[in-house]
Amino acid sequence: MSIIIGTHPNNLATWILSHVDALQEPLRRTARDVQFVRYDDGRRTTGLLVDGVIDVGATGSTPPIVAQSRELDVVYLAASEPHPDPGGIVVPADSPIRTLADLRGRSIAFTVGSWQTHALAVAVDRAGLAWDDVTIVDIAATAQGEDFLAAGTDSWLVVDPAYSGLRRLAEVRVVAPTQDLVQNRSVFFGRGSWVREHPAEARAFVAAVAATEEWAAAHLDEVAALLSRSSRGGTPETWRTALATRHWGVHAVDGRFLAEQQFAADLFHRFGVIPKAITVEAAAR
């Protein structure tokens, strides 16, 4: 019995779990061989799953939707509480962009294929724009504040710690806060064939990330120090501030979460982000 977990620093639960041995002990009672595959870019998760490199992983809302649209066999396991991370759609303080509709004909930098694609889709839809009305510039998942500034775009979709880094370099203004656009949940999912063959290990994984989030909520200083040493950068102080307002917790897939994912999937299909319409619920069983 074994489990191979994909982990990257944009997903805090799996990242913390991979670095704190004591949190792994309950999981090892079910899956005696627990391994972690570490990488920096969460967008690699679905590829690693379908290639059999990892059994389970976690990302934001977008990757499992894209995977399902490509007929890849992934199964939802759990979701986190919403994460209203500091930041959102951000512009220079003197920018003429005041509303989401003002993004027409403008450029925006973000990590394409991450949860930020979902956030932009909501913004574009809400403003009554077409997807092509906004010029998208891809930026690395580990981009720092200076990388966003160097992108030379009219706006950025950025959250802490990069958002705090950007604020130290330039005067900026938030047009749409993160929580006004998306719930920004962590999504835990696995390779379908593995989940069906290893239900006990899949349940143990969900229990482990839930316990990790509970532990993290009570150990913010330790978590902040750990994350400051990751490829996401940031200082312990910046991380501590962001973590203090984080909504911790992992729960089973429910109707509300599936409705959020379906809404995103429908937007993606309408905007041509995914090749076909999907029924999200089909990946939850």
Side-chain angles (χ1 to χ4, degrees):
M1 294 181 289
S2 66
I3 185 171
I4 306 174
I5 302 168
T7 178
H8 54 92
N10 280 296
N11 181 262
L12 303 198
T14 57
W15 188 256
I16 296 165
L17 177 63
S18 75
H19 284 83
V20 181
D21 289 345
L23 294 171
Q24 300 168 22
E25 288 308 310
L27 179 58
R28 293 184 189 282
R29 288 197 285 270
T30 299
R32 297 189 185 93
D33 181 19
V34 179
Q35 301 176 41
F36 294 91
V37 174
R38 295 193 178 103
Y39 45 99
D40 286 337
D41 193 334
R43 295 173 294 183
R44 294 184 58 200
T45 301
T46 52
L48 293 171
L49 281 172
V50 299
D51 288 344
V53 177
I54 62 176
D55 301 318
V56 293
T59 65
S61 55
T62 301
I65 292 173
V66 174
Q68 193 179 356
S69 76
R70 294 176 179 168
E71 299 184 355
L72 302 179
D73 185 17
V74 296
V75 174
Y76 288 107
L77 298 174
S80 76
E81 291 297 309
H83 296 151
D85 293 339
I89 294 180
V90 178
V91 298
D94 60 355
S95 170
I97 300 173
R98 296 284 171 181
T99 69
L100 293 175
D102 294 332
L103 290 171
R104 187 189 302 272
R106 305 287 184 172
S107 57
I108 187 167
F110 65 94
T111 304
V112 177
S114 72
W115 67 268
Q116 295 168 355
T117 298
H118 180 183
L120 183 64
V122 171
V124 168
D125 177 62
R126 195 171 292 168
L129 303 178
W131 190 249
D132 292 340
D133 284 338
V134 183
T135 299
I136 294 170
V137 175
D138 192 15
I139 197 162
T142 54
Q144 311 293 315
E146 55 268 27
D147 300 312
F148 280 90
L149 195 60
T153 51
D154 300 306
S155 61
W156 311 280
L157 220 170
V158 55
V159 296
D160 269 347
Y163 170 60
S164 290
L166 181 61
R167 291 177 63 197
R168 287 192 292 269
L169 298 171
E171 292 186 20
V172 300
R173 174 167 42 82
V174 176
V175 175
T178 306
Q179 64 267 25
D180 286 358
L181 297 171
V182 290
Q183 294 296 314
N184 193 19
R185 302 181 192 273
S186 292
V187 182
F188 303 89
F189 55 107
R191 187 172 70 256
S193 58
W194 183 88
V195 171
R196 289 185 288 273
E197 293 170 6
H198 299 85
E201 288 89 340
R203 289 192 297 271
F205 167 68
V206 172
V209 292
T212 296
E213 292 241 345
E214 183 177 351
W215 177 89
H219 296 80
L220 297 186
D221 289 336
E222 293 173 58
V223 174
L226 173 64
L227 288 166
S228 71
R229 298 190 295 270
S230 76
S231 57
R232 289 187 69 180
T235 64
E237 294 75 20
T238 297
W239 273 111
R240 182 62 171 76
T241 300
L243 295 173
T245 58
R246 187 179 181 86
H247 299 168
W248 298 96
V250 172
H251 57 77
V253 171
D254 58 17
R256 182 174 181 179
F257 166 72
L258 292 174
E260 292 169 5
Q261 289 293 96
Q262 189 63 58
F263 180 71
D266 292 345
L267 283 181
F268 288 168
H269 179 238
R270 177 151 59 86
F271 288 141
V273 175
I274 60 175
K276 67 174 188 176
I278 63 169
T279 301
V280 166
E281 190 177 2
R285 55 179 186 268

